[in-house]
Amino acid sequence: QVQLVQAGAEVKKPGASVKVYCKASGSSFISHDINWVRQAPGQGPEWMGWINPQSHNTGYAQKFQGRVTMTWNTSISSVSMELSSLKFEDTAVYYCVYSISSGDYGFDPWGQGTLVTVSS
Amino acid sequence: DIQMTQSPSSLSASVGDTVTITCRASESISTYLHWYQQKPGKAPNLLIYAASNLHSGVPSRFSGSGSGTDFTLTISSLQPEDFATYYCQQSYNTPRTFGQGTRVEFK
């Protein structure tokens, strides 16, 4: 059973970067993908990209290309998502979520989310 | 990108009602379609995967159907805990995309 744990909240200024962490545990998680999905206040979820902890391969949504970096840290069994050049509209809850690489089984489980607030 | 369009955006229903939510993809996605329930302040929870398969632990009053471009989520005998927002999501290709959501409210 895969488990994903995230820390609470971050406040950043426009133009800064934020790094959000997701600690993974359980059987087999390393073989498949950890995705990042964000949700702005009152909006639907938005997929940002994925990383495979075993291969370190990544894939990013075009919208975030050049601004997002996802990394797997084996020593702490955690994936990080760094988003740079923050804008007010990047204010959102950022979730890490597991998925089977084939895409057959949807997103499950989800981390509890990290609120990132961009404010001057 | 594949656009996912849900209808309706919101609906009002009573306990015991049967509720149907539809999701249309802008191109064929086979059965790479999943449904989620989200309650305020919580992460989405997977209900149905691959269009019609009930996720472990999800009550049998939830069901899904469809393939290609048109999909349906049905909730039979709506319970108080089912008042929430529901999203569809495609995993046919990247970027993975979600519908805009359907809010199920108490009538």
Side-chain angles (χ1 to χ4, degrees):
Chain A
Q1 191 82 331
V2 175
Q3 288 187 309
L4 302 174
V5 177
Q6 299 179 243
E10 301 266 4
V11 180
K12 296 292 181 180
K13 293 190 182 303
S17 297
V18 67
K19 201 166 189 177
V20 182
Y21 292 89
C22 172
K23 185 169 177 64
S25 62
S27 57
S28 305
F29 76 86
I30 200 166
S31 303
H32 296 287
D33 301 337
I34 293 177
N35 301 258
W36 287 91
V37 174
R38 75 177 187 178
Q39 190 168 27
Q43 303 298 310
E46 179 179 33
W47 180 80
M48 301 178 69
W50 62 271
I51 181 169
N52 183 292
Q54 187 167 58
S55 67
H56 294 243
N57 287 342
T58 56
Y60 304 138
Q62 183 86 6
K63 175 177 179 176
F64 300 102
Q65 286 275 2
R67 228 172 36 106
V68 69
T69 305
M70 297 177 188
T71 309
W72 171 251
N73 187 323
T74 302
S75 63
I76 58 173
S77 197
S78 292
V79 62
S80 64
M81 185 282 300
E82 184 170 23
L83 188 63
S84 62
S85 302
L86 288 170
K87 311 166 194 175
F88 293 118
E89 51 265 38
D90 291 320
T91 293
V93 176
Y94 288 76
Y95 296 101
C96 59
V97 56
Y98 179 77
S99 69
I100 302 297
S101 301
S102 63
D104 291 0
Y105 297 96
F107 288 157
D108 180 75
W110 295 62
Q112 70 269 43
T114 298
L115 175 62
V116 174
T117 302
V118 182
S119 173
S120 54
Chain B
D1 298 2
I2 297 176
Q3 306 302 316
M4 307 301 294
T5 303
Q6 286 181 235
S7 61
S9 297
S10 65
L11 64 89
S12 298
S14 301
V15 173
D17 286 350
T18 293
V19 166
T20 300
I21 299 168
T22 63
C23 179
R24 175 164 288 176
S26 60
E27 61 185 82
S28 178
I29 57 171
S30 183
T31 56
Y32 287 87
L33 188 283
H34 319 290
W35 291 98
Y36 302 85
Q37 176 192 69
Q38 187 176 33
K39 296 182 179 179
K42 300 293 187 182
N45 283 319
L46 180 65
L47 296 173
I48 302 282
Y49 65 90
S52 61
N53 296 275
L54 201 63
H55 182 55
S56 175
V58 174
S60 59
R61 63 181 179 271
F62 291 92
S63 63
S65 65
S67 66
T69 60
D70 294 308
F71 301 87
T72 300
L73 173 70
T74 300
I75 312 172
S76 305
S77 188
L78 199 67
Q79 297 299 299
E81 60 268 30
D82 300 337
F83 292 95
T85 301
Y86 294 84
Y87 296 97
C88 62
Q89 176 246 327
Q90 65 83 19
S91 60
Y92 183 75
N93 63 14
T94 57
R96 309 304 198 206
T97 47
F98 291 82
Q100 82 280 12
T102 296
R103 185 172 178 178
V104 177
E105 300 173 313
F106 183 71
K107 184 185 287 184

